[in-house]
Amino acid sequence: MFLLRLAAKNLCRYTRRTIITAVAIAVGIAMYLAVDSMLLGAAAESERNLRWYETASLRIHTATWWQERLFFPLGGAIEEPEAILALLHDEGYHAVKRTRFGAELLLGYEEFGEDGYIPVLITAIDTNDDTVYRYGTALEEGRFFQPGEMDGIVLGSWLAEDIGATIGSSLTVSTRGKGGFFEAFDVQVVGLVNCPNPNVNRTLVMMDLAAADQYLGMEGAVTNIDILVPERQDIEAVQRALASKIGAIDPSVVLLTWKDLAQDYLAIASSKQGGSALILFLIFIIAAVGISNTMLMAMYERGTEIAMMRAMGMEENRLQASFLVEAGLIGALGSVIGIALGVLANLYLVEVGIDLSFMLRDLDMGFRIPSVMHGAWSLSSFVIAAIGGTALSMLSAIIPVRRALKSPITTALVRL
Amino acid sequence: MVRLEQVSRIYQNGQSVVKALDGVSLSVSGGEFLSIAGPSGSGKTTMLNLIGCLDTFDEGELYINGRPIGGMTNKERTAFRRNNLGFIFQSYNLIPVLTAFENVSFPLQLLKMDEQRVKETTLRILAEVGLAGLEHRRPAELSGGQQQRVAIARALVKEPKIVLADEPTANLDSKTGEEILALMQTMNEQRGTTFIFSTHDAMVMEHARRLVMLHDGTVVSDERRGS
């Protein structure tokens, strides 16, 4: 108790220095909380948008297709999707058939001012797609194609803008069918999609599944079946529960979670979390240097006082403890201020967010977030910041204190 | 109480070797009021540092209360100082953020005495040194003489057998210095505490009942007087 009182009184001794050091720690902590909040918010929103617009919760492919997925092999399609769909329906899950295939969109001189082509990945969807995905509310312009409409396609709005396509623009799709034959067919843009997932806006080309089946000679086969798992359910648990039942119907298929399908995104998110840890480390280094310097000055200025206390028989570990408590109190003060600032910053980030539309359009950051980046609350980050700020302050004081205690009492006292 | 047997303290600074104390032998009994005097560099402070267990010696042996100090570890010396010795410093060395009461009670806190006893003992000693009513003042709110009274109270509060003081009046005017010496003498007589203090002030030497003169690290005279 005495040590705590002494430490608290010493803090008031150099009020300005204490405040400056605490504020430096506070700013570091607030910055960490803000960056962490934005990354967490971006990760949560990205994961949601991945499931809502790209991968669904679970997806069924054949093992062959999954192994050769970089080539989108139509030969590795699911031949009997209806039996699996019936099972999923019986189990109470919404599921849809899709066929994804690689193609080239040929742009004609008359329509686009120059001849050219762009490689695309076309997703053929059936009319039930909205039970699993959320494109229904994302239509920016035009309409969706009708079931069986052979020449209607829907484009991501940014893709359309990039190639100069509008509603009514005519394009030619060049691809290869299931048997490897070449196929080309003319299509017309009937709708533009602008959803909160920038990757979709940048790359989406959709057409009707029945039309694709006919063009590609799929004969009812599809490349994947996508499943919606309600938010509250554990996707991995559902995967485990369904895998054996689906395997009994078609042993050639594999059931994958959205994490298996979005490994590229997860790798980016993980590296960004690593970046967050690096920011945290750098911020704490700055705080450590600040607190270390403060304690070093305190040791220097109070050298005689320390020697006097040692002369009177104060044990070195108690003396060290009193200075560590002092440093810890500065850290705690900094943490309290930092958390208060962090809460304010987080409130803004969660409620308002930061508008990144000026850069997200042209820069692919990997996150599947809309133009406004929102933060997210994380209690654990606040706890880490509070404990980290205080503990680090105490740790930073150890070296200066030990240095002071190494000096002979008689030297520090000069005279007894 | 304190016995130095052929104690030497050698300081080495590069090539130069200085014998601050050179084979000094001295015996101090309980209740003495002893002054160590001598010119600058004669070894007064070194001798006080050794008796105060703040420094180590190179030759000889030092006994305090019959205990040899030479073989003690740093930790043992710290504990020995805490339990047996009181210190009065020339510059008072009070902790500026603490009140007079808190400064005086500091040695009792180190002894982990219970709060009620700390309070009673501290208030009693503060009254004895003439600081009753000033308990809550910080050092900056006290005069030099009052600060040295706080320092004396701090040295005596744990009732040590020996109090060591280095030039205790050097920072005070002569009138206040007289008062401080008188206070130390009173404490010596009333409590039987042994006072060993260094000085080069003739007025202070006059108050001592025993005067040990040092020169170049050796004892050149050891004079006992009536008070």
Side-chain angles (χ1 to χ4, degrees):
Chain A
M1 197 59 203
F2 174 75
L3 289 185
L4 194 65
R5 219 164 45 224
L6 181 62
K9 288 194 171 192
N10 274 322
L11 280 187
C12 303
R13 192 166 173 177
Y14 307 107
T15 317
R16 189 177 297 175
R17 192 190 303 161
T18 300
I19 290 172
I20 289 171
T21 311
V23 165
I25 295 170
V27 169
I29 285 176
M31 275 174 64
Y32 161 68
L33 290 172
V35 170
D36 191 65
S37 163
M38 284 174 66
L39 286 175
L40 278 175
E45 199 154 7
S46 291
E47 288 172 19
R48 197 173 55 235
N49 287 334
L50 265 163
R51 284 185 280 116
W52 285 0
Y53 299 99
E54 280 188 68
T55 62
S57 312
L58 291 168
R59 180 176 286 175
I60 299 169
H61 282 298
T62 64
T64 312
W65 192 96
W66 183 241
Q67 272 174 6
E68 297 174 21
R69 58 188 176 276
L70 294 178
F71 307 103
F72 306 105
L74 295 177
I78 303 165
E79 297 297 336
E80 300 291 343
E82 299 306 334
I84 296 173
L85 282 172
L87 168 79
L88 293 170
H89 179 74
D90 290 346
E91 293 289 332
Y93 293 103
H94 290 294
V96 290
K97 297 180 289 184
R98 284 184 153 202
T99 287
R100 301 166 79 215
F101 60 100
E104 287 171 353
L105 274 187
L106 307 180
L107 315 176
Y109 178 81
E110 289 174 10
E111 185 86 30
F112 296 96
E114 59 182 335
D115 288 324
Y117 71 91
I118 54 164
V120 291
L121 173 65
I122 298 180
T123 306
I125 66 170
D126 80 4
T127 46
N128 294 323
D129 214 79
D130 261 5
T131 58
V132 174
Y133 291 98
R134 304 204 176 200
Y135 290 109
T137 54
L139 197 65
E140 185 183 63
E141 203 180 337
R143 61 175 176 82
F144 272 97
F145 33 78
Q146 301 299 317
E149 185 174 340
M150 296 300 286
D151 61 351
I153 61 165
V154 169
L155 298 181
S157 59
W158 294 356
L159 172 64
E161 196 179 314
D162 288 343
I163 63 175
T166 55
I167 302 293
S169 294
S170 296
L171 302 132
T172 303
V173 175
S174 170
T175 185
R176 297 179 78 162
K178 191 179 175 190
F181 61 88
F182 286 94
E183 178 65 273
F185 50 94
D186 293 329
V187 291
Q188 196 174 44
V189 179
V190 296
L192 300 177
V193 159
N194 190 331
C195 70
N197 184 331
N199 194 47
V200 168
N201 297 338
R202 202 176 278 124
T203 60
L204 181 78
V205 182
M206 283 197 301
M207 66 180 293
D208 179 61
L209 183 65
D213 185 85
Q214 206 167 320
Y215 285 129
L216 303 173
M218 296 297 285
E219 295 173 334
V222 292
T223 57
N224 44 290
I225 296 170
D226 296 356
I227 306 164
L228 173 73
V229 176
E231 293 287 334
R232 299 176 305 281
Q233 289 188 22
D234 178 2
I235 292 175
E236 274 80 12
V238 174
Q239 180 195 27
R240 283 192 298 275
L242 289 178
S244 56
K245 292 176 184 171
I246 294 169
I249 294 172
D250 184 348
S252 72
V253 299
V254 287
L255 183 56
L256 305 159
T257 68
W258 70 270
K259 288 179 185 169
D260 299 316
L261 300 161
Q263 284 169 2
D264 57 338
Y265 159 74
L266 290 175
I268 291 167
S270 159
S271 71
K272 286 200 164 73
Q273 284 300 328
S276 160
L278 185 67
I279 291 169
L280 177 66
F281 177 73
L282 289 175
I283 287 168
F284 277 0
I285 287 287
I286 293 165
V289 169
I291 194 99
S292 189
N293 190 44
T294 298
M295 294 315 290
L296 206 61
M297 285 176 76
M299 297 295 146
Y300 179 75
E301 286 167 357
R302 280 144 60 186
T304 311
E305 195 177 304
I306 293 166
M308 178 277 292
M309 292 195 273
R310 289 168 70 197
M312 296 193 128
M314 189 170 190
E315 299 106 321
E316 294 195 352
N317 56 1
R318 275 191 96 187
L319 197 52
Q320 186 168 308
S322 86
F323 279 98
L324 294 193
V325 168
E326 195 175 322
L329 286 175
I330 298 178
L333 180 65
S335 298
V336 168
I337 301 170
I339 284 173
L341 292 174
V343 166
L344 291 177
N346 235 25
L347 269 175
Y348 179 82
L349 290 170
V350 171
E351 298 300 327
V352 181
I354 296 175
D355 189 353
L356 298 177
S357 54
F358 68 96
M359 57 186 284
L360 272 183
R361 171 66 182 82
D362 300 312
L363 180 68
D364 184 3
M365 291 164 58
F367 283 128
R368 267 60 163 188
I369 52 171
S371 53
V372 177
M373 189 175 190
H374 284 100
W377 292 100
S378 163
L379 182 65
S380 63
S381 297
F382 280 83
V383 173
I384 288 170
I387 294 174
T390 309
L392 187 96
S393 299
M394 294 176 86
L395 285 174
S396 308
I398 288 177
I399 292 173
V401 174
R402 287 215 167 146
R403 222 173 111 181
L405 293 180
K406 267 186 187 169
S407 138
I409 299 175
T410 50
T411 311
L413 277 176
V414 184
R415 298 172 72 90
L416 183 98
Chain B
M1 174 139 294
V2 178
R3 200 167 83 240
L4 288 89
E5 287 181 356
Q6 294 296 313
V7 169
S8 296
R9 178 67 171 106
I10 301 160
Y11 293 109
Q12 194 153 6
N13 188 7
Q15 295 291 320
S16 67
V17 175
V18 177
K19 257 195 168 178
L21 279 187
D22 189 2
V24 167
S25 293
L26 185 73
S27 194
V28 182
S29 306
E32 286 206 48
F33 197 70
L34 182 151
S35 172
I36 301 167
S40 289
S42 59
K44 304 187 295 289
T45 298
T46 303
M47 186 183 262
L48 277 182
N49 283 344
L50 293 181
I51 297 170
C53 303
L54 298 173
D55 199 2
T56 52
F57 43 88
D58 300 294
E59 290 166 9
E61 187 55 274
L62 163 66
Y63 298 90
I64 301 177
N65 295 337
R67 280 194 67 182
I69 305 299
M72 282 186 182
T73 62
N74 194 26
K75 206 170 175 181
E76 287 168 336
R77 284 206 309 275
T78 302
F80 189 82
R81 286 196 302 272
R82 186 168 60 243
N83 295 318
N84 298 284
L85 303 175
F87 294 90
I88 300 169
F89 304 94
Q90 179 185 325
S91 316
Y92 328 131
N93 281 355
L94 302 175
I95 302 172
V97 290
L98 301 184
T99 61
F101 177 89
E102 289 166 330
N103 267 292
V104 172
S105 67
F106 178 69
L108 302 181
Q109 300 285 357
L110 296 182
L111 292 171
K112 295 173 184 163
M113 196 180 273
D114 70 80
E115 287 296 322
Q116 189 54 36
R117 257 189 83 196
V118 167
K119 191 176 176 187
E120 287 166 9
T121 315
T122 306
L123 288 175
R124 192 171 60 236
I125 193 76
L126 275 167
E128 276 186 58
V129 300
L131 291 176
L134 301 178
E135 298 90 356
H136 299 297
R137 292 206 185 169
R138 290 190 178 183
E141 297 162 341
L142 297 169
S143 69
Q146 286 170 328
Q147 287 187 48
Q148 196 58 305
R149 281 170 191 267
V150 174
I152 291 170
R154 183 177 63 183
L156 290 167
V157 71
K158 63 184 178 188
E159 299 182 357
K161 293 278 186 289
I162 304 163
V163 169
L164 301 158
D166 189 23
E167 309 259 11
T169 59
N171 283 358
L172 302 171
D173 61 65
S174 57
K175 183 172 173 287
T176 314
E178 285 266 15
E179 287 170 10
I180 291 298
L181 275 171
L183 175 64
M184 285 166 59
Q185 261 177 325
T186 307
M187 294 294 157
N188 166 254
E189 284 158 12
Q190 285 179 354
R191 293 169 165 253
T193 310
T194 304
F195 275 79
I196 303 173
F197 51 95
S198 69
T199 188
H200 56 255
D201 182 339
M203 182 270 286
V204 177
M205 290 179 215
E206 279 173 21
H207 280 79
R209 286 200 295 274
R210 183 178 173 194
L211 181 65
V212 174
M213 292 291 289
L214 290 179
H215 190 78
D216 287 344
T218 57
V219 176
V220 290
S221 75
D222 184 353
E223 182 190 341
R224 289 176 190 274
R225 322 137 153 214
S227 57

